[in-house]
Each structure stands twice: as C-alpha cells, then as structure tokens.
Amino acid sequence: MSVLRRLRARLRPTTIAGQIALLVVAGIAVAHMVATTAFLLLHEPQNPDALPGVAASRLGMLSRLLDSVDPAARPALLASGRSLPLIQVEAWDGKAPPGAEPVRDLPVIRRLRNGAGRPVTIIDLSADDSEQERSAKRLHIGIVTANGATLQATLPNDPLRPPRQGALIFTVVFLALTLALLCVWATRALTAPLKRLAGAAEAFGARDDHVALPEAGPREVLAVSRALDRMRSRVRRLIDDRTQMLAAISHDLRTPITRLRLRAEFIEDDNARAATLRDLDQMNGLVEAALSFVRDGQVRDASSFTLVDLASVVQTVCDDFSDIGAPVSVGRSRHVLVRGRPEELQRAVTNLVDNAVKYGSRAEVHMEASERGVRVCVRDAGPGIPEAEREAMLQPFVRGDRARNLNEARGFGLGLSIVQAIVEAHDGRLILENGRAGGLAATIELPLAAQVFAGQAERKPAPVPAEAA
C-alpha cells in the first residue's frame, strides 16, 4: 500500500495547472471509454442480410415489382427472387387450402406490407405444412397483389428487435453522472488546500488564531502558505513591539507626571494651579486610555474565557453609575450566559453608559434576544451621530465633539474603539443607530454560550491525510 501511495504522489503534478490538465484529460478519457463500451454493446450487426426485418422488406419489394411488370415477365422475376437470403420464394397458383385464413398482424407482416407500398392480400398457408415446419418459427404465406400477381414464400417469424433507446438513454445518463462525480471529486481534492489556506487567513487576528496552514498541496498553495506564515510572524512581532513600547512609555510617563503634580501644588496662583492639575489629569487619562485600547485589542486564547451572566454585568454597571447620581436606568434585562471575560464585558458596557451620560444627558439600558444571541442596547437623549460619521467614530482617537455639541474636550476618542475591540474579541458586533425620536442607540450583540460551544464543535477540523491534498 505504501508503494502505491509513493507512486501516486510521484505521478501527481505538483502545480495547479498540471492538476487541472490531468483532470481534463482524465474526464476525456473516461468519456471515450464509456462511449466505446456503449458502442460495442449497442451497435447493430454489420450484415443486414441476417435481420428478419430486412428480409420482410425485400419480399414486399419483390411483390411490388411483380405487381408492376407485365404478367409474361413475372416468372423470370420470380426466379430471380429465389436468391434472396432468409426467404424461400416459389410460384403459387393463388388457391388457398381449406381452412386458410388471413395471416395474423405480426411485426414481420407489417414490415412486408410497408415494403410492398400498395395493398396486398396475405394468406396463411401453414395449414399444409408438417408439424416440424410449423414449430420452426417460420411463416408460410401466400401473397396476392392488386394486379393479380401471386407468389408464396417462407420467411422467419423472429420478432423484430426495436432500437435500444432505453439502453442508449441509460448510457448517456451514466456517462453524465460519471463525469460529474469525477469532476466534483477531483475539484474538491484540488481546492481543499485552498480552503484550508483561506480558513487560516480568515482566522488570523481573531480569537481562534490556531488554524494550521496547509502543508501539502500544489506548489503555488504551499508558496502562499509559507508567505502567510511569515507574514503572521511579522504581524505578531509588530503587535508585541507596539504593546511593549506603549507599556514602557506609560511606566516612564507616570513618574514625571507624579512629580509635576507635586510641584503644581506649590503654585501660588489658584487658576494656574487648577489648570496645571487639569492638564496633568488629562495626560494621565490619555496614557491609561491608550494602554486600555492596546490591551483590549489584543488576541486572547479562548481557554481564558468563562461563563458570564450578562444581566449581572449590566446591573452592576448601572448600579455603580446610580450610586454617584448619574441618570441611568435598566428597562429590561435577561439572565443569559455568554462566554468571555467579565471584566472586559463590564468595561465595554461602562464605556457605552459613560458616553450616554456625558453626551446624551441620560442612559437607558435594555436587554433582549436577537438572532445572534443576546443584545444590550444603551440609549441616550443626545443629538446622535450623523450616519456619515459613524464609521469614523469607531476609529481610535476620533472624537465626536461636533456631533455632540461639546464646548470642551472630555475624552480622547478611544471609548467606542475599546468597546468594538472587546466585542469583536467575544465574536460579537457593535451597532450605532440614531433613534427616531432623537438620541443614539449603541447596541452590543453577543452569541450565547450554547451557540459558541456549538460553533466550536462545527469548526473543529477533521484530520486530513497527507496525500489527500
């Protein structure tokens, strides 16, 4: 078996063009083989003299000639008809034996009448034949034409073989199905490495970033697979370098910010001291927000996720805002389980509620079922966001001060970006919509824990043998 595998691997083309050419040639070869087999099984005999239908047609043509010629020439024409194959032709005086009846409507008789081309009377003369002759499946008939020509003949009574239409249709259908199945099988085997490559590329950057790249297949696919593997390594290295750089900047900036805050306390001018402390607080908030954005945008292993009661997370966030006097209310809630990290989900809901309170004067939170699982909607009473600016608002460091009519900056444009990073890491999505009566509705959609487990079971790749590519 291993010898056959090595031989097949050696004979198989290593490029996509070669495999497609092999598929086309194999399809043509199979089509020719099936067509040749059908021709050998269904073709008619090459000698038409051996066919009963041909003999009956020739006898009809002889009777037509006898009816057309002069009566004096009929004996000579009748003598020439004695050389017809499968037929015995003799002269007949036209007298039928006692009890003779018209011959039955047999396929051979119908072929004889068609060959005659004019009305003829055919009498069954087998009453005078012996028992052995009647059992030999041969007809002994007498023929009388319209002009009085008579003859008797003996011809085979074999059933005429109809055209094999059913066998021909079956052959065509079998050929079409064979070629279709061959093409489907070969095409799937050819595109399997491309499908695995597309799955690995799609999973890159997502939470399930563990899809293996194809290691077998056409030469072009292997080249793309190696290039994608190198690209993944470079991107991961860049992300790690960015995270380490921002972490170092944050660590190094906290110390001078703290020293500046201590020095600002000794400023005698109250207005200057307050402005300096406000600027330092803003610098510190910017550093913390940037680190939070980087941390929440990183890819995490799904094994670190746990079951989270989303209603408890929402209620905790709303209670925290209510404790400080913010106008936050919970309209509806559903106790459902999702898979994720509770502190990240809490940060996402907190950012949405905080934006609603800052820019929309109040926040109203609702939970409801959706096609994707569960939906958390945070509504406010603000001016909303124009449709043309919604995509830009999800980008980092993009602020919506003009849309919110703010007189001073109170954020860094990272709140919605952090929410989107957290939601996408949990296989969800963030939707921004303006309400009909005004205000903005920021909606988080997350899959239920049962749906996540079912999706992981479906995406679990089956083992693929090395030679299947």
Side-chain angles (χ1 to χ4, degrees):
M1 193 67 179
S2 59
V3 177
L4 293 178
R5 288 181 178 177
R6 288 197 298 268
L7 180 62
R8 185 175 61 179
R10 183 173 300 178
L11 295 178
R12 177 184 297 170
T14 59
T15 62
I16 295 179
Q19 294 186 8
I20 293 176
L22 178 62
L23 171 62
V24 173
V25 172
I28 295 175
V30 171
H32 278 285
M33 291 174 58
V34 175
T36 302
T37 303
F39 174 77
L40 295 177
L41 295 177
L42 302 178
H43 80 286
E44 297 290 341
Q46 296 183 357
N47 184 13
D49 294 338
L51 299 176
V54 175
S57 298
R58 289 174 176 174
L59 182 59
M61 181 64 67
L62 178 61
S63 64
R64 181 176 182 178
L65 292 176
L66 290 174
D67 187 64
S68 302
V69 301
D70 186 74
R74 288 173 181 172
L77 184 61
L78 187 62
S80 65
R82 293 190 178 97
S83 62
L84 294 176
L86 299 181
I87 306 174
Q88 296 178 4
V89 180
E90 298 178 357
W92 181 44
D93 57 4
K95 296 180 181 180
E101 298 178 354
V103 73
R104 293 174 298 165
D105 187 19
L106 300 173
V108 175
I109 299 302
R110 289 196 296 270
R111 183 69 64 86
L112 191 155
R113 293 182 185 277
N114 292 335
R118 59 189 65 186
V120 293
T121 303
I122 303 176
I123 306 300
D124 187 1
L125 302 180
S126 60
D128 291 341
D129 299 340
S130 62
E131 186 67 26
Q132 183 178 0
E133 292 176 344
R134 287 195 296 267
S135 62
K137 292 185 179 180
R138 296 181 67 83
L139 290 176
H140 185 197
I141 59 175
I143 302 175
V144 181
T145 66
N147 291 330
T150 60
L151 74 155
Q152 60 177 334
T154 302
L155 70 161
N157 189 23
D158 295 335
L160 302 182
R161 186 169 57 185
R164 299 179 181 179
Q165 297 180 354
L168 182 60
I169 294 175
F170 172 78
T171 303
V172 174
V173 173
F174 176 77
L175 176 61
L177 290 179
T178 302
L179 291 178
L181 292 177
L182 175 64
C183 292
V184 170
W185 172 79
T187 303
R188 294 190 62 177
L190 179 61
T191 57
L194 292 175
K195 185 176 181 181
R196 292 197 297 271
L197 181 62
E202 184 68 25
F204 179 59
R207 191 159 45 87
D208 296 331
D209 191 9
H210 59 272
V211 180
L213 292 170
E215 299 178 355
R219 189 183 306 165
E220 296 86 349
V221 175
L222 293 180
V224 176
S225 176
R226 298 187 186 100
L228 180 61
D229 189 32
R230 293 191 296 268
M231 185 193 71
R232 291 199 306 186
S233 300
R234 290 195 299 268
V235 171
R236 290 195 183 101
R237 187 165 58 250
L238 290 174
I239 293 176
D240 293 341
D241 293 343
R242 184 193 67 169
T243 304
Q244 293 175 4
M245 180 187 66
L246 289 178
I249 291 176
S250 173
H251 181 271
D252 293 341
L253 283 179
R254 283 173 180 170
T255 300
I257 289 176
T258 302
R259 291 198 301 265
L260 289 175
R261 184 185 299 276
L262 292 176
R263 294 172 183 173
E265 296 294 339
F266 295 99
I267 298 177
E268 297 180 357
D269 189 344
D270 294 339
N271 294 331
R273 183 175 62 253
T276 303
L277 292 175
R278 184 170 62 251
D279 291 340
L280 292 174
D281 290 338
Q282 191 173 10
M283 291 174 59
N284 188 67
L286 176 59
V287 171
E288 295 295 336
L291 282 176
S292 178
F293 172 72
V294 173
R295 180 176 59 251
D296 295 324
Q298 287 181 330
V299 178
R300 294 174 179 82
D301 188 4
S303 60
S304 63
F305 285 10
T306 60
L307 293 178
V308 181
D309 185 356
L310 191 58
S312 299
V313 173
V314 171
Q315 190 64 50
T316 300
V317 172
C318 294
D319 290 343
D320 292 341
F321 277 91
S322 298
D323 291 342
I324 61 176
V328 177
S329 62
V330 180
R332 294 187 302 271
S333 63
R334 297 171 55 89
H335 287 279
V336 294
L337 295 178
V338 297
R339 290 194 74 239
R341 296 167 62 92
E343 64 276 8
E344 293 182 359
L345 294 176
Q346 183 173 347
R347 185 181 301 115
V349 178
T350 300
N351 285 356
L352 294 183
V353 174
D354 183 61
N355 284 345
V357 173
K358 286 182 179 179
Y359 307 124
S361 70
R362 63 181 177 85
E364 184 177 353
V365 185
H366 298 276
M367 290 184 61
E368 58 187 14
S370 68
E371 296 180 357
R372 298 172 62 92
V374 64
R375 177 183 299 164
V376 179
C377 182
V378 180
R379 300 180 180 275
D380 61 33
I385 300 177
E387 185 175 356
E389 299 182 11
R390 290 176 192 168
E391 289 294 331
M393 289 297 299
L394 298 177
Q395 301 299 320
F397 301 104
V398 176
R399 301 176 60 255
D401 296 339
R402 289 176 298 175
R404 302 295 186 151
N405 295 323
L406 289 181
N407 293 323
E408 62 180 61
R410 290 186 288 176
F412 307 104
L414 291 173
L416 292 179
S417 301
I418 294 174
V419 174
Q420 186 179 33
I422 294 175
V423 172
E424 289 181 350
H426 289 75
D427 290 338
R429 63 175 181 175
L430 172 64
I431 304 173
L432 302 178
E433 295 178 332
N434 289 331
R436 295 182 179 179
L440 179 70
T443 304
I444 295 177
E445 286 192 353
L446 296 173
L448 299 178
Q451 296 175 347
V452 174
F453 284 123
Q456 290 177 350
E458 292 178 359
R459 291 194 301 267
K460 188 175 183 180
V464 180
E467 70 274 9

